[in-house]
Amino acid sequence: MRHRVKKKHFDRTKEQRKALFRSLARSLILEERIVTGVERAKALRPFIEKLVTLARKANATEDRIEKLFYRRQALSLLPDKEAVAKLFEDLGPRFADREGGYVRIVKLPMPRRGDGAEQAIIEFIE
């Protein structure tokens, strides 16, 4: 029974799940579109939304210390300087007007050949 279970565990430990989300988020930020499993895409969405929201907040403020604070928060969630730089310089200003819903998930019609898993494209909304 799944009583009070709030998230997918993907049959991994906490550290492995954290590494999985960091890797998927890095790929999504740098490539802006990735193909992955439907369940992984659904679980990745809140993680990405939080990162983009931090970038939006940093873009909205004029205080240099506050911008640094948001960047450090993002680096604690995603410790990749290249991805965080693109997030704050490119994606934050792009979504400055948008309140939320920065990514879309589109299910692909054909399953993966190897194991028949449902595939999806997760991408940033233009």
Side-chain angles (χ1 to χ4, degrees):
M1 285 186 255
R2 288 184 43 86
H3 297 299
R4 299 179 61 138
V5 176
K6 294 187 179 182
K7 62 181 176 265
K8 292 270 185 189
H9 293 286
F10 299 112
D11 202 22
R12 290 167 157 49
T13 64
K14 180 180 178 180
E15 291 81 18
Q16 290 172 339
R17 270 193 314 276
K18 192 188 243 187
L20 172 73
F21 289 140
R22 285 176 172 176
S23 173
L24 287 171
R26 179 186 189 279
S27 297
L28 180 61
I29 289 169
L30 294 178
E31 303 295 325
E32 297 195 12
R33 168 188 278 200
I34 58 172
V35 177
T36 185
V38 173
E39 295 301 322
R40 283 183 181 185
K42 286 181 180 179
L44 178 64
R45 181 187 284 175
F47 188 77
I48 286 289
E49 303 262 339
K50 286 174 190 161
L51 288 171
V52 175
T53 301
L54 287 174
R56 276 189 57 236
K57 286 180 182 178
N59 189 44
T61 186
E62 293 297 320
D63 186 18
R64 191 175 55 91
I65 303 295
E66 202 169 346
K67 286 184 182 204
L68 181 62
F69 168 71
Y70 289 127
R71 186 175 287 260
R72 284 181 176 167
Q73 274 193 322
L75 277 168
S76 73
L77 292 173
L78 181 66
D80 185 300
K81 290 182 182 180
E82 182 185 0
V84 170
K86 180 170 181 183
L87 182 69
F88 278 75
E89 293 161 10
D90 183 32
L91 298 176
R94 187 193 309 177
F95 295 117
D97 310 347
R98 199 168 177 89
E99 289 295 317
Y102 313 113
V103 295
R104 87 167 53 103
I105 298 172
V106 180
K107 291 183 183 177
L108 294 175
M110 297 295 292
R112 190 165 52 210
R113 281 187 70 125
D115 59 356
E118 287 187 21
Q119 294 293 98
I121 296 173
I122 182 167
E123 62 186 356
F124 286 108
I125 293 174
E126 296 301 322

